[in-house]
Amino acid sequence: MTAQRRKQRTALLLLLPALVIVLIFFGLPTIFMARMSFNLHPDQRLFVPGFTFEHYGALLSNPVFTGAIWTTVKLAVMASIATVVIGYAFALIVWLKPPRWRLLLIGVALCPLLISEIAIIFGWWMFFPKNGLLSYALLSLGLVNDKISLMYTEFAAFVGLIYVTLPYCFFILLSIFDGIDRRLIEASGDLGAPPLTTFREVLLPLTWTGLLVAFSQSFIWTMGTYATPSALGPDTLWTVGYLIQEQMLGKHNWPLAAALSMVLVLGVAAVMVLTRSLMPKRASYHV
Amino acid sequence: MSDVLARRGFEPVMLKALGAAFIVFIVAYILIPVLVTLVMSFNDAAMIRFPINAWSLKWYQDFFASPQWTDALKSSVIIATGTAIISTVSGILAAWAFERFPIPFKNALYLLIMLPLFMPGVVLGLGIAMTFGGVQIAGVNLYGSRALVMIAHSLWAMPLVFMLMEATFRTVDYRVVEASYDLGANPLRTFIEIVVPMVSTGVISSALFAFVISLNEFVMALFLTDRDTQTLPVLMWLSLRSAGTPRLAVASVILALTVFACLAIIMVWYVRQLRKVSRN
């Protein structure tokens, strides 16, 4: 009994540094933010202690905020669908390729993971505008007659967002594909199923869990980011993340910034719970 | 019969062509921003525009001659090193506890340690900035200090180290550990002298991953640094907002080179360990 207790004490001691970091620098700030979101915000002051639902009311009634929440969800859904589709096709091809191709393609897929988001933004920032590479390439090929710019469009924002989330989706799905017996595909083909039927009846059910995890990963990430859409997208593309930053650093309205953050926290939690509930019982994947 | 043959012959060819086209598309997609940045960093002009008419190393000289940019690079490396140390130590100890000890509420604790990884950087940064904004330790403002950024980055890096090390510890042959106990070594000595060398590749990889995460992160750092402690990605973000010059491309290249150097170290280490194993 005492040996057992001593073991538990050692375990707690070992866990202590990690728990201190998580509880003090994540748990405490989250509680602090939750409380802050109910504080008052009179003019010219960061915040005044109090209790009001005013900020949450504003989030639900002010068209700027409801619009931003809607934009964020819409952007996250669309970018995640695109990411999962591209990532799925990419992972499927890499899975089917012979090994020497595989290593090369995995190396390419690692690139966006290793490069800072700011460097990625800047890379696309030089590609899309009037004097950028895209315009120059199309002009020299004679495909367009005048300089064109895709900068500050929703398309540019999507290209950037998908770029950042693609590797996560790819690696999650590739690990799922690697667990599948390849002979299943051959068997299905030998039994006379055309590729599309094999895909629908064999591959899709086997990779369902991976698809779910990849989608929710990508959704959570896209929902929380603001740098890529605000740097590449149009000026009106206001996401919740962008408004948090604006309220905090620009307008110094702490309670409202906190309330917006709580919306993001709840959004992440909702996606995680939803993914868990959609997952088959036996799957042991952690979301 | 011929109909079936035709279909079976036609579809694979079409699928193959589609697959090849897709690979070209995806490789181009991933490499475009990388190559554009690399090319632009050797541009001679002060403006970002294509075509590039003259080449030079001018912007590299400019980068290293500017104290603002070299200070930011230094700050980035210091913060990334700190993050790597903090998250590797805490992550390894936690993973060891999870692997070898009975822990009450194991699933809840697991979720708690992993949770920050799923939180947006803007939320983590904001929370820490609000909570520790006015806190002073021994007369030094916590806010704006590099230590606070290190801990903030550890919220993302530590769960990753934890996950990686948990998987690594599962591969350890624990009969060797028991033997060490039987020979009279205490748990701490066993851990440092027996276990750590066995999992050195995992330790090195997780430390370098933590380093890379911190080096590249800029949203939390944006909330938590001031002019004196700002990191390279933060400075890049702020100057992109005002005006983009080839200097930014140089900064991107330097950031990426640092990351790839880390990757090279992991690979060299891994090959060395493999050789060691095969020699034995």
Side-chain angles (χ1 to χ4, degrees):
Chain A
M1 196 61 206
T2 47
Q4 178 76 8
R5 180 144 310 158
R6 205 165 58 215
K7 269 200 154 178
Q8 275 196 6
R9 220 181 47 206
T10 318
L12 198 68
L13 223 59
L14 288 170
L15 281 172
L16 200 62
L19 289 181
V20 165
I21 292 176
V22 172
L23 290 177
I24 296 188
F25 293 93
F26 171 65
L28 188 67
T30 308
I31 295 169
F32 192 85
M33 258 189 322
R35 174 67 190 93
M36 175 65 77
S37 64
F38 294 107
N39 279 337
L40 307 172
H41 175 71
D43 294 327
Q44 310 302 326
R45 314 256 297 266
L46 294 177
F47 68 95
V48 171
F51 194 86
T52 173
F53 282 101
E54 189 190 313
H55 309 295
Y56 286 102
L59 292 188
L60 294 176
S61 60
N62 188 332
V64 172
F65 300 128
T66 50
I69 293 172
W70 172 235
T71 305
T72 308
V73 172
K74 199 177 67 181
L75 209 63
V77 169
M78 285 165 67
S80 304
I81 290 176
T83 312
V84 167
V85 170
I86 298 175
Y88 194 93
F90 192 22
L92 179 61
I93 288 176
V94 170
W95 179 58
L96 292 171
K97 282 272 169 209
R100 65 200 156 92
W101 278 91
R102 185 188 159 93
L103 213 59
L104 199 72
L105 289 173
I106 286 179
V108 170
L110 264 176
C111 273
L113 262 187
L114 297 172
I115 295 172
S116 175
E117 193 190 345
I118 180 69
I120 294 168
I121 292 173
F122 184 58
W124 290 114
W125 194 89
M126 293 185 286
F127 183 71
F128 282 126
K130 247 186 168 160
N131 289 320
L133 183 62
L134 177 69
S135 166
Y136 173 65
L138 291 179
L139 207 59
S140 353
L141 288 173
L143 290 173
V144 290
N145 296 321
D146 202 10
K147 285 184 175 179
I148 56 155
S149 167
L150 287 177
M151 196 62 196
Y152 307 123
T153 59
E154 291 202 8
F155 176 76
F158 273 118
V159 168
L161 280 175
I162 294 168
Y163 192 91
V164 184
T165 41
L166 188 61
Y168 297 98
C169 274
F170 169 76
F171 284 110
I172 289 170
L173 289 167
L174 186 63
S175 74
I176 297 283
F177 275 121
D178 281 339
I180 297 175
D181 189 342
R182 223 178 283 212
R183 283 170 302 183
L184 283 174
I185 309 294
E186 287 162 28
S188 168
D190 290 345
L191 290 172
L196 257 180
T197 312
T198 304
F199 173 73
R200 203 180 56 225
E201 301 288 330
V202 181
L203 273 185
L204 212 51
L206 284 171
T207 49
W208 175 242
T209 319
L211 273 174
L212 216 56
V213 174
F215 184 86
S216 73
Q217 271 288 334
S218 151
F219 190 90
I220 286 173
W221 194 89
T222 326
M223 196 166 56
T225 188
Y226 78 90
T228 307
S230 85
L232 297 175
D235 283 343
T236 49
L237 196 67
W238 287 350
T239 60
V240 175
Y242 176 77
L243 288 181
I244 292 176
Q245 183 249 181
E246 196 203 11
Q247 291 297 333
M248 176 73 184
L249 300 177
K251 303 213 162 132
H252 301 291
N253 186 345
W254 284 25
L256 191 56
L260 282 163
S261 298
M262 292 321 285
V263 171
L264 274 191
V265 171
L266 291 180
V268 171
V271 173
M272 284 172 81
V273 170
L274 199 68
T275 315
R276 280 244 151 153
S277 67
L278 284 176
M279 209 109 82
K281 283 275 178 320
R282 277 181 302 133
S284 59
Y285 235 88
H286 294 283
V287 178
Chain B
M1 188 67 199
S2 67
D3 185 42
V4 171
L5 275 180
R7 249 187 47 206
R8 295 199 97 189
F10 174 66
E11 278 191 355
V13 170
M14 207 177 73
L15 277 181
K16 252 198 179 135
L18 262 179
F22 184 79
I23 285 187
V24 170
F25 160 76
I26 202 104
V27 170
Y29 178 43
I30 290 175
L31 292 184
I32 280 175
V34 180
L35 296 179
V36 169
T37 309
L38 197 61
V39 167
M40 188 48 81
S41 72
F42 296 108
N43 186 11
D44 186 64
M47 288 269 285
I48 302 239
R49 64 187 309 159
F50 284 90
I52 293 170
N53 297 317
W55 307 90
S56 81
L57 290 172
K58 186 172 122 192
W59 290 103
Y60 283 87
Q61 282 167 355
D62 175 85
F63 181 93
F64 286 107
S66 153
Q68 194 191 12
W69 288 83
T70 48
D71 282 353
L73 179 62
K74 209 163 59 187
S75 209
S76 274
V77 172
I78 293 172
I79 287 173
T81 310
T83 305
I85 293 169
I86 293 172
S87 52
T88 312
V89 170
S90 55
I92 287 178
L93 292 181
W96 181 244
F98 263 74
E99 182 60 28
R100 295 295 289 171
F101 290 91
I103 294 172
F105 310 112
K106 202 165 185 169
N107 285 337
L109 279 176
Y110 186 91
L111 189 66
L112 184 68
I113 292 178
M114 294 304 290
L115 203 55
L117 192 56
F118 297 98
M119 284 297 148
V122 63
V123 170
L124 294 176
L126 182 84
I128 293 176
M130 277 182 178
T131 315
F132 298 97
V135 177
Q136 286 191 332
I137 289 178
V140 179
N141 258 334
L142 202 55
Y143 182 74
S145 72
R146 294 194 177 106
L148 196 61
V149 187
M150 290 174 194
I151 295 176
H153 284 173
S154 296
L155 287 176
W156 273 358
M158 191 258 291
L160 277 178
V161 173
F162 173 71
M163 215 160 64
L164 208 73
M165 287 312 294
E166 230 211 339
T168 311
F169 281 138
R170 248 180 252 147
T171 64
V172 169
D173 182 355
Y174 285 102
R175 283 169 304 183
V176 183
V177 179
E178 300 298 333
S180 164
Y181 285 139
D182 291 344
L183 291 171
N186 65 19
L188 187 67
R189 198 163 156 211
T190 307
F191 184 72
I192 291 172
E193 291 188 8
I194 306 293
V195 179
V196 169
M198 279 202 282
V199 295
S200 61
T201 306
V203 175
I204 295 284
S205 313
S206 33
L208 288 172
F209 274 127
F211 185 88
V212 167
I213 287 174
S214 168
L215 198 67
N216 283 340
E217 202 285 334
F218 80 98
V219 175
M220 287 190 240
L222 184 66
F223 278 95
L224 297 173
T225 52
D226 53 27
R227 278 192 88 79
D228 297 324
T229 53
Q230 69 187 185
T231 60
L232 190 56
V234 170
L235 185 57
M236 286 170 70
W237 171 251
L238 295 175
S239 45
L240 181 64
R241 299 261 88 176
S242 53
T245 60
R247 193 197 282 130
L248 274 169
V250 171
S252 292
V253 171
I254 287 168
L255 211 53
L257 281 183
T258 319
V259 171
F260 282 104
C262 289
L263 206 67
I265 295 175
I266 295 181
M267 275 163 83
V268 167
W269 190 278
Y270 186 69
V271 169
R272 226 189 63 173
Q273 289 303 108
L274 276 185
R275 280 220 190 103
K276 236 191 226 167
V277 170
S278 63
R279 216 180 289 138
N280 294 343

